[in-house]
Amino acid sequence: MKQYLLSMYQPQGGRPEPEFLEAVMADLGVLRRELESTGCWVFGQGLHDPSTATVLRPGDGEVLVIDGPFTEGKEYLGGFTIIKAPDLDAALAWGRRYARATRLPVEVRPFQGEAED
């Protein structure tokens, strides 16, 4: 089976209401248990706000340490999941379910060396 990265992008702004988050977390719990039971689960986790990021930028023989995200944007990577799937179609099916569960855009990408033949 190939490995795929499912990246969830969330908008900047305030934290959603607790009731909304509870529903999202419940849906994600169901999805994770199904991934685990089918042997497709590898790893996944949410990320802190982009303001907690530190960027290491090489240049002129040194590596500069810069606070904040690499790029500014209205959406940012909020979390990710790594799954195993037999092909892109199967990975996209899981990605659709993550998009429905999180109510967020989800990007599905194969790891290098895992590309479709």
Side-chain angles (χ1 to χ4, degrees):
M1 294 231 278
K2 299 172 173 106
Q3 290 188 352
Y4 293 87
L5 176 68
L6 308 182
S7 303
M8 283 126 252
Y9 290 90
Q10 62 189 72
Q12 284 185 330
R15 189 174 177 91
E17 294 296 319
E19 299 80 23
F20 177 82
L21 287 178
E22 287 174 18
V24 167
M25 296 309 292
D27 289 347
L28 286 174
V30 168
L31 190 49
R32 180 172 175 172
R33 286 188 294 278
E34 188 174 339
L35 279 163
E36 288 173 335
S37 72
T38 60
C40 294
W41 175 260
V42 176
F43 179 80
Q45 191 66 42
L47 299 170
H48 285 287
D49 187 88
S51 65
T52 65
T54 303
V55 177
L56 304 172
R57 184 181 299 275
D60 296 329
E62 295 183 31
V63 177
L64 301 174
V65 178
I66 304 166
D67 290 337
F70 175 70
T71 60
E72 295 292 328
K74 294 183 179 186
E75 290 184 334
Y76 59 90
L77 181 63
F80 65 93
T81 299
I82 300 170
I83 64 166
K84 292 186 280 187
D87 55 36
L88 179 60
D89 289 336
L92 290 173
W94 286 113
R96 283 184 192 92
R97 293 188 59 195
Y98 265 89
R100 280 193 218 80
T102 61
R103 289 82 160 167
L104 296 171
V106 174
E107 177 184 49
V108 177
R109 292 174 68 183
F111 282 90
Q112 288 186 358
E114 303 278 334
E116 296 294 312
D117 295 326

